[in-house]
Amino acid sequence: MTKVLITPRSFGKYDDEAFQILKMNHVEIVPNTTGAVLSKDKMKELVADVDGIIAGVDPLDAEVLACAPKLKAISKYGVGTDNIDLDYCKEHDISVSITKNANRNAVADYSFGLMLAVARRIPEISDGCKNGDWSKKVAADVFGKKLGVLGLGAIGRGVIHRALGFDMQVYGYDVVEDDVFLEDNEVTFASLEDIMSECDFISIHLPLIPQTENLINKEMLSKAKDNLVIVNAARGGIINDDDLYDALVNKQIYGAGLDVFQTKTPKESKLLTLPNVVVGSHTAASSKGAVAKMSLMAVSNLMKNLREKAMA
């Protein structure tokens, strides 16, 4: 019988169709029963005799993968593969797939929601009212402002489509310039420096790779307007958290919305102490629709790759 480790806690939570597909294919499921992201030691224990893994953000580096001699395929529940040693997988003929675009609308919604929450000070005002402070608080405008989108993949494009409804002037930054998309959506392709100096809002949708690590740092933040709102629902590490904290404390920029952090222990981040920072628990993709879609896609990808390995 095929054995599959499933680590994401939300997998199949709102629709059991993904579990039914595994059952029909006589798959023995190894569940994550901890209620948390698995540690490296726990991963080493659980991967020992599995044929496949449906993986969240749990560690799958070479040390962990070396403990999985039967492993044939990894299906990432999401799109970021920075927790997976892809070189090891290639060397050992382990297929790796992602649930591309499954959560694009959920993350785009959340990213735009972060912009609104920070600009209009929504959490701050709500908390104040609940604690007896019913004073009026002046906030920033969103409609008609300039938005820079860093990363023009499916999620970045989703944010742009939402921004057009707010009559925003949009600037885009990516390694690839798609002239048709830019023209159709009236997006100005620009350098990172120009976006930092021109825009009122910046939304980040880049992968975390060596070229993007610490991309938003002290130097870049020094170019920003003092009314800038920056949001990141992509990957921690793209923004240097210490530099962002300094920029916020010194009022170089207006505010930030963060669903991800540079530090592995975000509960200890200084950014949590600031009233002009709205934070999330890496939850942008966690809508019921996205969870169901990612679960089905993850299972489909895994079963396809396992079948191909069996026939090879």
Side-chain angles (χ1 to χ4, degrees), residues 83-307:
N83 62 314
I84 303 171
D85 190 323
L86 298 179
D87 291 334
Y88 183 99
C89 291
K90 184 176 181 181
E91 183 181 345
H92 292 81
D93 194 29
I94 300 169
S95 299
V96 179
S97 58
I98 61 174
T99 53
K100 186 176 181 180
N101 297 338
N103 60 13
R104 61 181 175 181
N105 282 320
V107 179
D109 283 349
Y110 195 90
S111 299
F112 207 84
L114 279 176
M115 286 195 287
L116 289 168
V118 176
R120 297 309 311 269
R121 302 169 65 182
I122 293 172
E124 181 187 352
I125 292 168
S126 176
D127 288 344
C129 291
K130 290 176 181 179
N131 289 288
D133 177 8
W134 292 85
S135 62
K136 307 297 183 187
K137 292 180 173 61
V138 179
D141 294 304
V142 179
F143 190 86
K145 296 299 183 179
K146 293 181 179 180
L147 166 67
V149 177
L150 310 185
L152 302 179
I155 296 171
R157 293 182 181 205
V159 170
I160 288 170
H161 290 148
R162 287 154 179 76
L164 295 177
F166 277 71
D167 202 24
M168 300 182 87
Q169 184 178 341
V170 182
Y171 295 75
Y173 167 85
D174 206 310
V175 293
V176 178
E177 185 173 351
D178 184 340
D179 292 332
V180 174
F181 173 80
L182 296 171
E183 184 176 349
D184 287 349
N185 293 277
E186 299 182 354
V187 177
T188 301
F189 199 74
S191 68
L192 178 60
E193 290 79 2
D194 286 345
I195 286 175
M196 290 299 301
S197 62
E198 288 290 329
C199 289
D200 308 295
F201 294 86
I202 290 176
S203 189
I204 297 174
H205 304 286
L206 295 165
L208 180 62
I209 56 176
Q211 293 87 339
T212 62
E213 189 170 7
N214 286 314
L215 185 70
I216 307 301
N217 52 31
K218 182 177 181 180
E219 180 185 357
M220 284 297 167
L221 289 165
S222 70
K223 303 177 188 295
K225 295 179 177 180
D226 60 9
N227 67 324
L228 175 67
V229 170
I230 187 165
V231 302
N232 184 9
R235 282 291 182 269
I238 295 173
I239 300 177
N240 183 295
D241 285 0
D242 288 336
D243 293 347
L244 178 62
Y245 176 84
D246 290 341
L248 290 161
V249 167
N250 295 323
K251 301 189 185 305
Q252 286 179 256
I253 65 173
Y254 179 90
L258 305 171
D259 194 42
V260 289
F261 293 82
Q262 186 176 35
T263 175
K264 292 183 179 179
T265 53
K267 289 181 181 179
E268 301 171 10
S269 174
K270 295 182 295 183
L271 290 162
L272 272 62
T273 66
L274 302 180
N276 53 344
V277 176
V278 176
V279 301
S281 55
H282 201 177
T283 193
S286 299
S287 74
K288 290 183 178 180
V291 165
K293 196 169 184 179
M294 281 197 295
S295 299
L296 286 172
M297 193 178 292
V299 166
S300 177
N301 290 342
L302 183 68
M303 298 312 300
K304 174 178 178 292
N305 286 333
L306 288 175
R307 282 193 296 269

Side-chain angles (χ1 to χ4, degrees), residues 6 11-25 27 29 54 77 291-300 303:
I6 302 176
F11 178 89
K13 189 173 183 179
Y14 304 106
D15 188 325
D16 71 349
E17 187 176 353
F19 283 116
Q20 291 302 320
I21 292 171
L22 291 170
K23 184 178 179 180
M24 286 188 296
N25 283 277
V27 171
I29 295 171
I54 295 176
Y77 182 77
V291 165
K293 196 169 184 179
M294 281 197 295
S295 299
L296 286 172
M297 193 178 292
V299 166
S300 177
M303 298 312 300

